[in-house]
Amino acid sequence: MTQTVDILLTNAHILTMDEEFRQYRRGALAVQGDSIVAVGPQEEVTTQFTASQVLDCGGKVLMPGLVNAHTHVPMTLLRGLADDLRLDVWLLGYMWPVEREFVSPAFCRLGTLIACAEFIKSGVTAFADMYFFEDDVAQATAEAGLRGVCGQSVLKFPTSDSPSFEDALARAREFIQKWKGHPLIVPSVAPHAPYSTTPEILKACAQLAAEFDVPLQIHLSETAQEVETMREENGMPVVPYVKKQGLFEAKVLAAHCVHVDEGEMRTLLHARAGVAHNPSSNLKLASGFAPVSKMLETGLNVGIGTDGPASNNDLDMFEEVRLAALLAKTVSNDPTSLPAWQALAMATRIGAQAMHIGHLTGSLVPGKRADLILVDLNPLHNSPRFERDPNGPYAQIVYAAKSTDVTDVMVNGRWLMRDRQLLTLNEAELLAQAAEYARRIDAFLTAREQSVLSKLIALGGSSEEESYEVQVKVRLPDSAQIETALRSPELEVLYARHYRQYDHYFSFDDPAQGRLRYREDDLIDAKGKVTGVRTRLTLIGQTREGSFSGDILLSRSRYLAPAAQTLRFYREYFRPAEEKVVEKDRLRWKVKYKGEEFYINLDTIQRPEMGRFLEIKSRTWSRKDAQHKAQLAEELLALVGAAEAERITSDYVALA
Amino acid sequence: MTQTVDILLTNAHILTMDEEFRQYRRGALAVQGDSIVAVGPQEEVTTQFTASQVLDCGGKVLMPGLVNAHTHVPMTLLRGLADDLRLDVWLLGYMWPVEREFVSPAFCRLGTLIACAEFIKSGVTAFADMYFFEDDVAQATAEAGLRGVCGQSVLKFPTSDSPSFEDALARAREFIQKWKGHPLIVPSVAPHAPYSTTPEILKACAQLAAEFDVPLQIHLSETAQEVETMREENGMPVVPYVKKQGLFEAKVLAAHCVHVDEGEMRTLLHARAGVAHNPSSNLKLASGFAPVSKMLETGLNVGIGTDGPASNNDLDMFEEVRLAALLAKTVSNDPTSLPAWQALAMATRIGAQAMHIGHLTGSLVPGKRADLILVDLNPLHNSPRFERDPNGPYAQIVYAAKSTDVTDVMVNGRWLMRDRQLLTLNEAELLAQAAEYARRIDAFLTAREQSVLSKLIALGGSSEEESYEVQVKVRLPDSAQIETALRSPELEVLYARHYRQYDHYFSFDDPAQGRLRYREDDLIDAKGKVTGVRTRLTLIGQTREGSFSGDILLSRSRYLAPAAQTLRFYREYFRPAEEKVVEKDRLRWKVKYKGEEFYINLDTIQRPEMGRFLEIKSRTWSRKDAQHKAQLAEELLALVGAAEAERITSDYVALA
């Protein structure tokens, strides 16, 4: 007696991707409601089941949908915005300024819908996401009909959706409560990474995830720098650190794990944590080669992820599986490692297990949800087809097939694509909306990149410096008597300092942009030891604001900022046309002379070798005050015996 | 006044890929005959030119066709035949046996036509090939309308098309003479690699190439092993070695160059040699990471190749460019290295220069041949599109575009594809013919893989061993008097040997397959030093052929072969169900007793520890002779005092 089900798929080459890697060269699969009820040789299945909807698959491969174990789906809207940059330049210079300006619930919904369309067209049926406004990500995902493990991000900084981490945590709790039990969405909390959170945040997130028995997502050990900093600051690598914070109270999905040692792998295994390997992203950002084969040998569930589309630059899991399989061979110096069948399992069953939804999806076995795809292996780029080797079909999918070979996609028993036609999303409409965002983002960045000043402001933290300075500078004659003058009763020395200063001057093709100075000040004590280091960024206007007789200058430094990033960062971000270095020894006295404060700098320019200079400076606020101080500066010059010395009106860099 | 040309392409985003990386966001290009006559902003070009055929490109990217700098096109017919194997297993176990059986002029024609169809569909307009029957490869390429640098292979071994290297050289000369001057084909000679040729071959090939001023193609420094062997045998790395043979008298295109040092890079540069980088193939075969950024910095023309489709497993240059760009970043630990614009130049202009056809193709500049493609960047996986960054369009092509985004292809002024429809090739017909080859190859390999014996024979070099042996084996009692017996006047000792033997026994699920023994014999001298090592492979039949009274056995070793490959090779090739190791110390005497020759083996089994055994053996050719020798063997046993010892009828491995 036959049983009637909803859908019967026949005449398919079925790759079940189950534990035994069962294949049926002429197989059939029965779907009832949201689930698979039978899979096997066609004769067996069709004897047992009939259906109102019977689909002859025409010999195509029928397999579980691919599972993308780590991504940031709304970032489809930022794809191709900026590439070939170092991580800090990319993040601080482009991604974060744009995200601060544009990321909103609407942005996240649209970005997610576009990602879902791309997923469906390329055979992905489930993904793990971490982003902001995750409620909107989840809504859009459910609307598209895909399966998502959606993680609301928590960071120690203010973010697009939360002014503080307490807000982010509250948002995550509300999000989990709302979505828990949804047929497609598994809500999750996502403390961004150890370096962008605190022990308190990690603990709170783990407790939240444990309370609701939902997964916790986090970026772990993505770069060597991250591990090094962790060792310096906490005396241990990253995995023991998060373990110490109680992170493994939760079901963890750890993204990247590029720099983990064997002990850490065992810790992850014992914690039943899943790992998401992101080969394209790791290569593109030069993060390194993840020890994938070793993690698999250890017994870890290692899935494969694309990472965000802004750093990939797409969501193509076919590319990602192929890359994972290829890379592992050279990294382990063994062409037999990570064979095609195993790589494809990472992208299906093992990936689902890593995401803690292995009971729902990832293989074609009765009882699991009907998340499946049809792949046409007949195109030219995948011909001919050999039957001899059981690894053959896996090798065809992994090494030769393309995402565009996917023709049909079903999630949770519902068709999302038939014959390459999307059934739940309107592609043209999404593309039009995305183009509008791109236009606005382009305009925003173009405006910002019009000047060095606006690029500096975009980084944040800089402040306008309105002060004017009276300044006189001379090439110091050997006869000058600085020490004597300083002991003069007319002068009161408020303090004395000794610095070594390294100035890097960036100049630009358009001189109107001014010069950007990156200064490192090393404070030197009496014994010649460096006791403090300070770095500052100053945008110096090109033109002097005025001058007095005797080449006493009046200048203004327009923008000042603490140089929180490295010199290399600023070099790559501002891309100067020219860069010059001035290195000097500076003795600096703050003195009072006739009731006014002056700085006296005795500079020995050592690189390039230019000799000794004396600078006398004082801040000023009005033309009248400036004229008065200019007169006093002349008197000071005379006092040190340098009244006749050669006046210098240029910066050192202009002399260099 | 306007000039009339054949074809005018308008409304295109043109990436010229010229030296200055000129782009025209709304550009036009004029074609006359086989060549480009103008390219520039649309207004300029359309003011100057009119044409009978005007094509509005609808804003698609118009760029030079991609250039595949290294491949073996007929191997499309072997795509997916065997994967995830080590190079030697893959070559000796699968590729070479199949090539020996199937490669013919017809095979090469069909394989090339399929490759050309794949090339056209994926935007490749020129390629560099090395294979056999290259005249047929060239004919098929010209028929398809593609541009090819076709290299006739020369090896020191007999090949599919040439019984000797002299024949191969003669074939190459004839081939070059025939094709020299063809509008699409640049003939070339291809000495396979330093390790598969001789100094004489390298010299002769270089002279041939120089005589006709055609390129010479060769595989160089693909694996670390190759370099190591070269250093051991010739005291220098690979590039100086080939230089010494005069290779650089010719215009060289060197494939792979994975393991070259900076001195070798400079040698290649001074020789004006081009390099073909093959990232997928190098990863898949675990060959290593080529120093691409360093080679480019040195000034070398480094193109990108797919290598043969049997080791990739496709001819998709979009995948290859993306991989090259991603890999270089992590290998050089710098995410800014090999940016998209440079990677795409490697796959177009620089690749053409590496192939020594840079004057013909590789960029869209007036005077070069009209080899161009249209790429649609509107698909979802490549949206949105930002205009701000000049690197943006290159990044879209390299990181997000797919080969399936190519819509139109022109080579030498002739359309080969319009709106994704092939114009010169019948895809369905080609696929049907390929399927027929696949069926035959499957049958060939399946037959071969039916038994361990046929797999052994497929490797070549093995010989059937018809001999029968009379054999008696006993567990040696402590009381036995071997030395005394050997001094007995009835025995003449012909010689004595001392061995250490390492036996690896492979057994299989089906016991009828027999056991395969890999034996290493270390010959030991009087001082205990190893003076010789010999390895042999023996397929041992499962069943004894007969036995005599007293457990004297009659056995036959069916197949014997020198073990030219490593133990690891045989393990990966035969994939035994079980492997056992027996290690023993063997004292062996060849003796004459009553006019018959016998071997007496005194074996101490050390791993696993099993004690001492005595074997007495003699070859036999007839039942009568066997009965006689069995009787003599009993007498010998008595002579050494072991007549009553426990008889052993099993191999050591069965006892182990």
Side-chain angles (χ1 to χ4, degrees):
Chain A
M1 218 194 74
T2 60
Q3 184 185 334
T4 304
V5 293
D6 292 334
I7 303 173
L8 203 52
L9 302 174
T10 63
N11 190 23
H13 181 157
I14 300 182
L15 304 178
T16 65
M17 301 311 293
D18 67 8
E19 300 273 351
E20 287 77 28
F21 288 86
R22 286 191 191 89
Q23 294 184 41
Y24 306 103
R25 291 220 171 236
R26 198 176 132 83
L29 183 145
V31 176
Q32 174 68 21
D34 59 7
S35 296
I36 299 165
V37 291
V39 58
Q42 173 145 331
E43 300 67 40
E44 282 182 26
V45 176
T46 51
T47 311
Q48 277 187 281
F49 297 93
T50 56
S52 46
Q53 189 189 141
V54 177
L55 176 70
D56 182 323
C57 300
K60 287 179 188 166
V61 162
L62 169 59
M63 58 175 279
L66 298 172
V67 164
N68 188 337
H70 179 65
T71 184
H72 311 286
V73 285
M75 294 181 88
T76 46
L77 289 175
L78 305 179
R79 182 206 318 265
L81 178 62
D83 287 293
D84 300 322
L85 301 172
R86 212 173 301 264
L87 183 61
D88 53 6
V89 178
W90 184 73
L91 274 180
L92 280 76
Y94 296 89
M95 289 298 132
W96 288 357
V98 170
E99 287 188 333
R100 274 195 295 268
E101 186 75 17
F102 290 96
V103 171
S104 67
F107 178 100
C108 290
R109 277 181 56 80
L110 177 61
T112 303
L113 289 174
I114 289 173
C116 287
E118 193 177 344
F119 279 146
I120 296 168
K121 293 181 90 174
S122 59
V124 172
T125 54
F127 64 94
D129 185 72
M130 294 169 73
Y131 207 62
F132 308 109
F133 299 111
E134 200 69 22
D135 181 54
D136 295 277
V137 173
Q139 276 182 42
T141 303
E143 188 181 320
L146 279 173
R147 193 176 300 287
V149 176
C150 297
Q152 170 63 40
S153 293
V154 182
L155 285 92
K156 65 183 174 187
F157 317 110
T159 63
S160 300
D161 66 13
S162 303
S164 74
F165 88 82
E166 291 91 343
D167 295 304
L169 261 175
R171 185 181 273 274
R173 171 176 290 270
E174 197 183 335
F175 170 67
I176 292 169
Q177 283 174 325
K178 175 172 172 188
W179 289 95
K180 174 85 178 160
H182 189 278
L184 289 171
I185 305 301
V186 173
S188 147
V189 60
H192 176 267
Y195 57 83
S196 53
T197 57
T198 62
E200 185 188 358
I201 293 176
L202 293 177
K203 203 159 298 182
C205 287
Q207 283 168 3
L208 179 64
E211 181 183 340
F212 290 94
D213 190 30
V214 296
L216 178 151
Q217 299 182 58
I218 189 166
H219 297 94
L220 279 193
S221 295
E222 180 170 359
T223 67
Q225 180 62 46
E226 176 189 345
V227 177
E228 199 181 302
T229 307
M230 178 60 77
R231 281 186 184 278
E232 276 167 19
E233 291 178 1
N234 296 285
M236 61 184 88
V238 177
V239 173
Y241 169 82
V242 297
K243 185 181 179 199
K244 194 177 153 198
Q245 317 313 335
L247 197 79
F248 297 127
E249 300 298 312
K251 303 186 292 196
V252 170
L253 169 56
H256 298 293
C257 295
V258 177
H259 301 275
V260 291
D261 62 29
E262 288 178 29
E264 291 179 280
M265 292 178 203
R266 281 193 298 272
T267 303
L268 291 169
L269 180 68
H270 293 145
R272 295 173 189 277
V275 172
H277 170 47
N278 303 270
S280 286
S281 165
N282 293 343
L283 288 182
K284 189 152 182 276
L285 299 170
S287 305
F289 302 111
V292 175
S293 297
K294 272 196 190 145
M295 289 195 277
L296 289 168
E297 276 164 31
T298 304
L300 280 165
N301 287 321
V302 184
I304 298 177
T306 56
D307 210 346
S311 57
N312 184 305
N313 292 352
D314 55 34
L315 296 169
D316 190 329
M317 280 291 290
F318 279 80
E319 282 180 2
E320 225 54 38
V321 178
R322 180 177 193 266
L323 184 53
L326 293 182
L327 258 188
K329 298 178 200 326
T330 296
V331 167
S332 59
N333 194 26
D334 178 358
T336 69
S337 71
L338 203 45
W341 56 268
Q342 194 180 19
L344 199 58
M346 289 173 73
T348 53
R349 174 171 44 83
I350 298 174
Q353 288 163 200
M355 285 159 60
H356 304 283
I357 55 170
H359 56 297
L360 296 175
T361 192
S363 57
L364 301 183
V365 295
K368 282 201 185 181
R369 302 299 169 269
D371 297 353
L372 51 86
I373 62 177
L374 289 177
V375 186
D376 184 2
L377 294 189
N378 286 321
L380 194 81
H381 59 259
N382 215 335
S383 295
R385 193 169 175 182
F386 296 96
E387 309 271 328
R388 179 191 55 84
D389 182 359
N391 188 40
Y394 304 105
Q396 280 194 289
I397 301 264
V398 171
Y399 300 123
K402 299 181 196 307
S403 56
T404 47
D405 298 336
V406 175
T407 59
D408 299 81
V409 175
M410 175 186 284
V411 175
N412 216 44
R414 176 189 181 198
W415 286 113
L416 305 186
M417 182 166 79
R418 290 298 314 278
D419 283 333
R420 295 198 169 83
Q421 297 305 308
L422 294 179
L423 302 178
T424 56
L425 296 167
N426 182 331
E427 196 175 336
E429 207 172 86
L430 296 175
L431 287 177
Q433 291 177 49
E436 175 55 20
Y437 263 107
R439 200 193 50 71
R440 287 170 51 204
I441 293 171
D442 255 341
F444 168 76
L445 280 180
T446 303
R448 191 199 67 163
E449 299 214 332
Q450 276 174 343
S451 74
V452 174
L453 178 60
S454 56
K455 286 191 77 172
L456 184 64
I457 293 172
L459 290 180
S462 59
S463 59
E464 202 169 356
E465 167 67 62
E466 290 288 351
S467 80
Y468 287 73
E469 270 183 352
V470 167
Q471 177 188 317
V472 60
K473 182 158 68 180
V474 299
R475 189 179 291 278
L476 198 67
D478 292 341
S479 59
Q481 300 276 329
I482 310 265
E483 301 291 323
T484 313
L486 288 168
R487 282 196 300 272
S488 146
E490 289 177 273
L491 273 184
E492 181 190 352
V493 175
L494 300 175
Y495 65 69
R497 297 263 195 282
H498 182 193
Y499 295 102
R500 177 161 297 258
Q501 295 183 325
Y502 305 85
D503 290 345
H504 289 255
Y505 290 89
F506 294 167
S507 56
F508 303 89
D509 284 333
D510 171 12
Q513 297 290 337
R515 269 204 197 91
L516 193 67
R517 183 182 69 198
Y518 176 93
R519 166 171 290 179
E520 179 183 327
D521 273 335
D522 291 3
L523 183 62
I524 312 278
D525 70 7
K527 292 173 186 161
K529 242 183 80 178
V530 176
T531 59
V533 174
R534 183 178 61 170
T535 52
R536 272 185 308 174
L537 208 61
T538 311
L539 182 62
I540 302 164
Q542 174 62 12
T543 51
R544 297 290 173 173
E545 299 293 321
S547 73
F548 294 89
S549 61
D551 286 332
I552 290 179
L553 303 168
L554 191 63
S555 74
R556 185 178 69 154
S557 289
R558 291 195 301 189
Y559 265 81
L560 260 176
Q565 307 304 321
T566 62
L567 172 63
R568 194 262 315 141
F569 169 86
Y570 296 113
R571 185 180 292 139
E572 292 180 5
Y573 177 65
F574 288 105
R575 302 190 194 175
E578 204 188 355
E579 183 175 343
K580 279 188 178 169
V581 184
V582 173
E583 186 180 329
K584 63 175 176 287
D585 187 273
R586 165 168 285 183
L587 292 168
R588 158 174 268 205
W589 297 272
K590 189 175 185 183
V591 302
K592 204 168 232 180
Y593 176 69
K594 295 194 176 167
E596 302 291 348
E597 289 184 353
F598 286 86
Y599 291 97
I600 300 177
N601 296 327
L602 174 59
D603 293 341
T604 309
I605 315 295
Q606 297 172 318
R607 178 178 164 212
E609 262 188 64
M610 284 164 48
R612 295 204 305 167
F613 294 83
L614 189 76
E615 271 188 353
I616 298 172
K617 288 183 176 182
S618 186
R619 298 248 165 130
T620 184
W621 301 98
S622 74
R623 175 154 279 268
K624 202 179 157 196
D625 177 71
Q627 280 170 333
H628 173 59
K629 285 181 174 160
Q631 177 55 36
L632 296 181
E634 283 288 357
E635 295 176 20
L636 281 170
L637 262 192
L639 197 64
V640 299
E644 303 304 313
E646 178 195 351
R647 302 292 163 104
I648 307 291
T649 57
S650 310
D651 286 343
Y652 293 128
V653 65
L655 300 173
Chain B
M1 217 193 76
T2 59
Q3 184 185 333
T4 303
V5 294
D6 292 334
I7 302 173
L8 203 51
L9 302 175
T10 64
N11 190 22
H13 181 158
I14 300 181
L15 304 178
T16 65
M17 302 310 294
D18 67 9
E19 300 274 350
E20 287 77 28
F21 288 87
R22 287 191 191 90
Q23 293 185 40
Y24 306 104
R25 290 218 173 240
R26 199 176 131 82
L29 183 145
V31 176
Q32 174 68 23
D34 59 7
S35 294
I36 299 166
V37 290
V39 58
Q42 174 145 330
E43 300 67 39
E44 282 181 26
V45 175
T46 52
T47 310
Q48 277 188 280
F49 298 92
T50 55
S52 46
Q53 189 189 140
V54 177
L55 176 70
D56 183 324
C57 300
K60 286 179 188 166
V61 162
L62 168 59
M63 58 175 277
L66 298 173
V67 164
N68 187 336
H70 179 66
T71 184
H72 312 285
V73 286
M75 294 181 87
T76 46
L77 288 175
L78 306 179
R79 181 204 322 264
L81 178 63
D83 287 293
D84 300 321
L85 301 172
R86 212 174 299 265
L87 183 62
D88 53 6
V89 178
W90 184 73
L91 275 180
L92 280 73
Y94 296 90
M95 288 299 131
W96 288 356
V98 169
E99 287 187 332
R100 274 195 293 269
E101 186 74 17
F102 289 96
V103 171
S104 66
F107 178 99
C108 290
R109 277 182 56 81
L110 177 62
T112 303
L113 290 174
I114 289 173
C116 286
E118 192 177 346
F119 280 145
I120 297 168
K121 293 181 90 174
S122 60
V124 172
T125 54
F127 63 94
D129 184 72
M130 293 168 73
Y131 206 62
F132 307 108
F133 298 111
E134 200 68 22
D135 180 55
D136 296 277
V137 173
Q139 275 182 43
T141 303
E143 186 181 319
L146 279 172
R147 192 175 301 287
V149 176
C150 297
Q152 170 64 40
S153 293
V154 182
L155 284 92
K156 66 182 174 187
F157 316 110
T159 64
S160 300
D161 66 13
S162 303
S164 75
F165 88 81
E166 290 91 343
D167 295 303
L169 262 175
R171 184 181 274 273
R173 170 176 290 272
E174 197 184 336
F175 170 67
I176 292 169
Q177 282 172 326
K178 174 172 171 187
W179 289 95
K180 174 84 177 161
H182 189 277
L184 289 171
I185 304 301
V186 173
S188 148
V189 60
H192 176 267
Y195 58 83
S196 52
T197 56
T198 62
E200 183 188 0
I201 293 175
L202 294 177
K203 203 159 298 182
C205 287
Q207 283 168 2
L208 178 63
E211 179 184 341
F212 291 94
D213 190 29
V214 296
L216 178 152
Q217 298 183 58
I218 188 167
H219 297 94
L220 279 193
S221 294
E222 181 170 359
T223 67
Q225 180 62 47
E226 176 188 346
V227 178
E228 200 181 302
T229 307
M230 178 61 77
R231 281 186 183 279
E232 276 168 20
E233 292 178 0
N234 296 285
M236 61 184 89
V238 177
V239 173
Y241 170 81
V242 297
K243 185 182 177 199
K244 194 177 153 199
Q245 317 314 333
L247 198 78
F248 296 127
E249 300 297 312
K251 303 186 291 195
V252 170
L253 169 56
H256 298 292
C257 295
V258 177
H259 301 276
V260 292
D261 62 29
E262 288 179 27
E264 291 179 279
M265 292 179 204
R266 282 193 297 274
T267 303
L268 290 170
L269 180 69
H270 292 145
R272 296 171 189 277
V275 172
H277 171 46
N278 302 272
S280 286
S281 165
N282 293 344
L283 288 182
K284 189 151 182 277
L285 299 170
S287 306
F289 302 112
V292 175
S293 298
K294 272 196 190 144
M295 288 195 278
L296 289 168
E297 276 165 31
T298 304
L300 280 167
N301 287 321
V302 185
I304 298 176
T306 56
D307 210 345
S311 57
N312 183 306
N313 291 354
D314 56 34
L315 296 168
D316 189 329
M317 280 292 290
F318 279 79
E319 282 180 2
E320 225 55 37
V321 178
R322 179 177 194 267
L323 183 53
L326 294 181
L327 257 189
K329 298 178 200 326
T330 295
V331 167
S332 59
N333 193 26
D334 178 358
T336 69
S337 71
L338 203 45
W341 56 268
Q342 194 180 19
L344 199 57
M346 289 173 74
T348 51
R349 174 171 44 82
I350 298 174
Q353 288 163 200
M355 284 159 60
H356 305 282
I357 56 170
H359 56 297
L360 296 176
T361 192
S363 58
L364 301 183
V365 295
K368 281 200 186 182
R369 302 297 169 271
D371 296 355
L372 50 86
I373 63 177
L374 289 177
V375 187
D376 184 2
L377 294 189
N378 286 321
L380 194 82
H381 60 258
N382 215 336
S383 294
R385 192 169 175 182
F386 296 96
E387 308 271 329
R388 180 190 55 84
D389 183 359
N391 188 40
Y394 302 106
Q396 282 194 289
I397 301 265
V398 171
Y399 299 125
K402 299 181 196 306
S403 56
T404 48
D405 298 335
V406 175
T407 60
D408 299 80
V409 175
M410 175 186 284
V411 175
N412 216 43
R414 175 188 181 197
W415 286 113
L416 304 186
M417 182 167 80
R418 290 299 313 277
D419 283 333
R420 294 198 170 84
Q421 296 306 308
L422 294 180
L423 302 179
T424 55
L425 295 167
N426 183 332
E427 195 175 335
E429 206 173 89
L430 296 175
L431 287 177
Q433 291 178 47
E436 175 57 19
Y437 263 107
R439 200 195 50 71
R440 285 170 51 202
I441 293 171
D442 255 342
F444 168 76
L445 279 180
T446 303
R448 191 200 67 163
E449 299 214 332
Q450 277 174 342
S451 74
V452 173
L453 177 60
S454 56
K455 286 190 78 172
L456 185 64
I457 292 172
L459 290 180
S462 60
S463 58
E464 202 170 356
E465 167 65 64
E466 292 287 352
S467 79
Y468 288 74
E469 269 183 353
V470 167
Q471 177 186 319
V472 60
K473 182 157 68 179
V474 299
R475 190 178 290 279
L476 199 66
D478 292 340
S479 59
Q481 300 276 329
I482 310 267
E483 301 290 323
T484 311
L486 287 168
R487 282 195 300 271
S488 143
E490 289 178 89
L491 273 184
E492 181 191 352
V493 175
L494 302 174
Y495 65 70
R497 298 259 195 284
H498 182 193
Y499 294 101
R500 178 161 297 258
Q501 294 182 328
Y502 305 85
D503 290 344
H504 289 255
Y505 290 89
F506 295 166
S507 55
F508 302 89
D509 284 334
D510 171 12
Q513 297 292 336
R515 270 206 196 90
L516 193 67
R517 183 182 70 197
Y518 175 93
R519 166 171 290 180
E520 179 185 327
D521 272 335
D522 292 2
L523 183 62
I524 312 277
D525 70 7
K527 292 172 185 162
K529 242 183 79 177
V530 175
T531 59
V533 175
R534 183 178 61 169
T535 52
R536 271 183 310 174
L537 207 62
T538 311
L539 182 63
I540 301 164
Q542 176 60 13
T543 50
R544 297 291 173 174
E545 299 292 322
S547 72
F548 294 90
S549 60
D551 286 331
I552 290 180
L553 303 170
L554 192 63
S555 73
R556 185 179 70 153
S557 289
R558 291 196 301 189
Y559 265 82
L560 261 177
Q565 308 302 322
T566 63
L567 172 62
R568 194 263 313 143
F569 170 86
Y570 296 111
R571 185 181 293 138
E572 293 179 5
Y573 177 65
F574 288 104
R575 301 191 194 175
E578 204 188 354
E579 183 176 344
K580 278 189 178 167
V581 184
V582 173
E583 187 182 327
K584 63 176 177 287
D585 186 274
R586 165 168 286 184
L587 292 168
R588 158 173 267 204
W589 296 272
K590 189 173 184 183
V591 302
K592 206 170 228 179
Y593 176 68
K594 296 194 176 169
E596 301 290 347
E597 289 184 354
F598 285 87
Y599 291 97
I600 300 178
N601 297 328
L602 174 60
D603 292 341
T604 308
I605 314 294
Q606 295 171 318
R607 178 176 162 213
E609 263 188 61
M610 284 164 47
R612 294 203 306 165
F613 295 82
L614 189 77
E615 271 187 354
I616 296 172
K617 289 183 175 181
S618 185
R619 299 246 165 134
T620 183
W621 301 98
S622 74
R623 178 154 277 269
K624 200 178 160 197
D625 178 70
Q627 280 171 333
H628 173 59
K629 284 179 174 162
Q631 176 56 36
L632 295 181
E634 282 289 356
E635 294 177 21
L636 279 170
L637 262 191
L639 199 64
V640 299
E644 302 304 314
E646 178 194 352
R647 301 290 164 106
I648 307 291
T649 58
S650 309
D651 286 343
Y652 293 128
V653 65
L655 300 173

